[in-house]
Amino acid sequence: MNIPLIPNIRLGVVPTHLRFVGALVPESGQYPRDASGEIKVVAGMRELCAISPVKPSCVQISFFPGTDPGQVDELIAGLKALDLEVDFILMVGGVNPMNPADEDAVVAQLLPNLKAAIAHGARNVSSTSIEEWMSTEPRHDGAAFEAAIAQNVKVHLRAYHEAGLAGSCIENWNIEFLRPGEFKTFTNLERGWAFVSAANKALGSKFFKQLVDAAHCGDSGLSIAENADLIARIAAAGELGSFHASAKTTRGCLSTDDGWIGALLTAMAKTGELQQVFVELFDHADPALEALRNLDPGHGIDTRDGRTYNQVTADGLTDIARRLNNLAARGLL
């Protein structure tokens, strides 16, 4: 049975369940392909669209520096042929956005993907580009935290201006914080918002938005009530972005989230600012995420319960669509 989405919300997926290694990450600039020669991400999304009772309307794709432009063209064309709006997740690696010595290198990684996003008519981009993933960098507090924010503002405004984002098709740049361990400094919603607020103040507009990921909020150390309060304050400031429906710790089946997705999705709905929701799961055995499994063994738990990852993701879309429809029925959307 097909499930129509009642509220005017864009519902989609971050197809990390297809794996970074072997699907999302290009090999020598080329996307991995299946036996028929089709890009695996496109093939995987076609299957998901076919089996899901809920038709996703959008997809967030991780874009890595050095990807062959022709490959990007083919990927985007394949996804748009499935009637999916494509958002870019700007991937930055091997550099520290908080370090002035790495400023040019960070901007050099952001620029090609920002320009590609403009070329392909993307309305939204997202990134975790405020800190290096799984770095040995110590946590910054006090004056060091303020310096980290200031350097990040400088880097991201440089990228904004040099990519020509002003007046472009890109309406928002969503910034995502990560859980403690993955990040050391920008590890909760309040700390992530500190950067977003500073960047918008320096830019003079509300272009940067705070992405809310239920998994990272759940693992951040702040309570559901504290996160809900922050969501309301961020929305009131005009700086609330997309929502990631993702289960804390396991990052697997949404049934493992211990209530975080439902509570924070409701908090987002109550603001009147919720526009876009993405279901996001990870493959528990993805080689790219070994460091995360070492950080927390809970990330390596197989939560499929006999299903394929596309089926688990389809179940997630069904769950979130039901929640959104019932939020609408209750007058919260």
Side-chain angles (χ1 to χ4, degrees):
M1 181 181 69
N2 291 331
I3 303 171
L5 189 63
I6 295 170
N8 185 26
I9 299 289
R10 296 194 298 276
L11 175 60
V13 299
V14 185
T16 43
H17 66 284
L18 300 175
R19 289 194 174 193
F20 284 101
V21 173
L24 289 167
V25 178
E27 300 167 355
S28 300
Q30 308 293 303
Y31 284 117
R33 296 175 182 270
D34 64 14
S36 70
E38 185 172 33
I39 292 175
K40 283 187 176 180
V41 175
V42 176
M45 285 303 302
R46 178 181 293 105
E47 179 189 341
L48 176 63
C49 290
I51 67 173
S52 175
V54 182
K55 175 67 170 67
S57 61
C58 48
V59 61
Q60 267 191 338
I61 297 293
S62 303
F63 281 92
F64 295 85
T67 306
D68 180 85
Q71 296 280 302
V72 175
D73 292 346
E74 184 180 349
L75 174 67
I76 300 299
L79 294 171
K80 287 184 176 179
L82 299 173
D83 294 324
L84 295 170
E85 180 177 357
V86 182
D87 283 7
F88 281 46
I89 302 177
L90 315 173
M91 304 301 288
V92 175
V95 288
N96 179 6
M98 299 184 290
N99 186 350
D102 285 358
E103 180 178 321
D104 289 343
V106 176
V107 173
Q109 290 191 30
L110 288 170
L111 279 180
N113 289 343
L114 285 169
K115 291 179 179 178
I118 293 173
H120 288 283
R123 288 195 291 166
N124 301 281
V125 296
S126 301
S127 69
T128 58
S129 54
I130 51 177
E131 190 170 338
E132 185 178 4
W133 188 64
M134 301 293 285
S135 167
T136 58
E137 183 86 6
R139 176 184 170 97
H140 294 304
D141 288 301
F145 181 57
E146 296 303 320
I149 291 174
Q151 181 58 30
N152 262 311
V153 169
K154 186 180 179 184
V155 165
H156 287 78
L157 262 61
R158 261 193 67 185
Y160 174 93
H161 291 299
E162 292 179 26
L165 296 186
S168 74
C169 57
I170 298 177
E171 300 169 3
N172 296 297
W173 186 339
N174 282 257
I175 299 294
E176 182 178 3
F177 72 90
L178 299 184
R179 58 172 290 172
E182 291 186 77
F183 278 0
K184 303 293 195 308
T185 295
F186 294 98
T187 53
N188 62 40
L189 194 53
E190 185 172 35
R191 284 180 158 243
W193 183 31
F195 161 74
V196 168
S197 178
N200 284 334
K201 183 177 181 181
L203 184 61
S205 72
K206 304 290 187 178
F207 181 77
F208 292 93
K209 303 290 186 180
Q210 180 60 59
L211 188 152
V212 177
D213 183 300
H216 297 313
C217 288
D219 285 321
S220 71
L222 298 183
S223 68
I224 286 178
E226 288 170 323
N227 278 285
D229 177 66
L230 281 162
I231 286 168
R233 289 162 53 198
I234 294 167
E239 295 173 329
L240 189 64
S242 301
F243 181 73
H244 279 181
S246 194
K248 74 183 187 74
T249 307
T250 69
R251 307 308 303 275
C253 179
L254 302 194
S255 64
T256 67
D257 83 324
D258 298 332
W260 282 84
I261 292 171
L264 296 191
L265 184 61
T266 299
M268 295 280 290
K270 286 179 176 178
T271 69
E273 299 296 322
L274 179 63
Q275 298 181 7
Q276 198 163 32
V277 177
F278 293 98
V279 171
E280 183 182 34
L281 289 82
F282 291 96
D283 186 317
H284 70 285
D286 188 339
L289 302 175
E290 182 178 0
L292 190 50
R293 292 190 291 275
N294 292 336
L295 173 69
D296 189 333
H299 190 79
I301 295 173
D302 184 352
T303 64
R304 291 174 294 174
D305 197 24
R307 297 164 293 175
T308 66
Y309 267 110
N310 254 348
Q311 187 60 61
V312 179
T313 305
D315 289 347
L317 283 167
T318 298
D319 175 82
I320 297 304
R322 295 289 193 199
R323 291 179 185 274
L324 290 170
N325 284 348
N326 282 307
L327 285 166
R330 292 157 58 199
L332 298 178
L333 275 178

